Amino acid sequence: EVQLLESGGGLVQPGGSLRLSCAASGFDFRRYTMGWVRQAPGTGLEWVSAIFSSGSPHYSDSVRDRFTLSRDNSKNTLYLQMTSLTAGDTALYYCARRVEGAFDNWGQGTLVTVSS
Amino acid sequence: EVVLTQSPDSLSLSPGERATLSCRASQTIDSRYFAWYQHKPGQAPRLLISSTSTRATGIPDRFSGSGSGTDFTLTINRLGPEDFATYYCQQYTDSPPGCTFGQGTKLE
């Protein structure tokens, strides 16, 4: 059974940093593209970033140059380093596995709140 | 960036009826990389349809997807009480790589 468990969310001040993790199990992690999708309060889903099995990341325009996505295949873990956070980054962040462009398995999410 | 616009924003129907949800892209997209999701409050989103028309594992055949180019449709036949949720379309482009979601249609 595919399982994705996010962690690392919390309350952070504007301008601060936070690192999210996603621990994967139940599949051959190294062979899959993995990504993050977020949902701000009262809004819809927004794609944030993804990383190919090769290790090459790509980002949405809203987080490029502030967020860094990486993976450790030896630990089956995905990392999202977030810097220069603003209130607009407040959201529930979901980790998801991507296959042929679609996110076929999702975690339950970790909440990031940016506030002073 | 490809913009996806869903219509309607909300849809009021009764159990047993048919729902038709639309998603229009700002430019032609590859139908291999078009998907639909169901999202309920407090739950993770669930993949319903990938590659425009392929149902994900465990998704009943009441759900069907169609479309090409810039216009895509999700049809839900014989609505059950469990189908009332928000539905999102999503696309992926590989050059440069990126994804976008529609703004969602709330089925109530």
Side-chain angles (χ1 to χ4, degrees):
Chain A
E1 178 191 5
V2 173
Q3 291 195 346
L4 300 170
L5 183 61
E6 304 94 336
S7 62
L11 176 63
V12 60
Q13 293 189 337
S17 300
L18 207 58
R19 188 177 84 159
L20 306 184
S21 299
C22 172
S25 61
F27 65 103
D28 191 354
F29 177 78
R30 61 184 174 174
R31 298 172 63 90
Y32 286 85
T33 297
M34 300 295 299
W36 292 91
V37 175
R38 68 185 180 183
Q39 184 177 35
T43 70
L45 301 176
E46 178 190 13
W47 173 70
V48 174
S49 180
I51 186 167
F52 294 114
S53 58
S54 65
S56 174
H58 43 291
Y59 304 93
S60 68
D61 290 343
S62 62
V63 307
R64 188 174 292 116
D65 300 328
R66 298 189 300 122
F67 289 13
T68 301
L69 184 58
S70 61
R71 63 192 298 160
D72 185 337
N73 291 336
S74 68
K75 296 182 178 179
N76 290 350
T77 302
L78 187 69
Y79 301 102
L80 184 67
Q81 180 68 47
M82 306 185 295
T83 64
S84 302
L85 287 163
T86 72
D89 297 312
T90 293
L92 184 62
Y93 284 72
Y94 293 102
C95 170
R97 186 178 79 170
R98 198 174 77 193
V99 177
E100 292 293 325
F103 296 99
D104 69 341
N105 282 273
W106 298 64
Q108 289 300 310
T110 186
L111 183 62
V112 173
T113 303
V114 184
S115 175
S116 55
Chain B
E1 175 183 290
V2 176
V3 177
L4 298 178
T5 302
Q6 294 185 236
S7 61
D9 288 332
S10 63
L11 187 57
S12 294
L13 293 170
S14 300
E17 294 189 301
R18 172 187 296 174
T20 303
L21 286 65
S22 297
C23 181
R24 174 163 290 178
S26 59
Q27 61 193 73
T28 297
I29 62 176
D30 190 333
S31 61
R32 293 176 299 170
Y33 301 140
F34 185 85
W36 290 94
Y37 301 84
Q38 179 190 69
H39 194 198
K40 297 179 179 179
Q43 298 184 18
R46 179 171 72 150
L47 176 66
L48 296 174
I49 302 281
S50 63
S51 301
T52 298
S53 60
T54 302
R55 281 187 300 277
T57 303
I59 302 303
D61 60 8
R62 300 185 291 105
F63 291 86
S64 63
S66 63
S68 64
T70 61
D71 293 300
F72 297 83
T73 301
L74 174 68
T75 302
I76 312 170
N77 290 309
R78 304 181 305 280
L79 284 167
E82 67 278 13
D83 298 334
F84 292 90
T86 300
Y87 292 83
Y88 295 93
C89 58
Q90 176 251 324
Q91 66 81 36
Y92 166 77
T93 52
D94 57 10
S95 184
C99 301
T100 50
F101 285 88
Q103 84 279 12
T105 292
K106 186 174 184 179
L107 180 56
E108 54 191 6

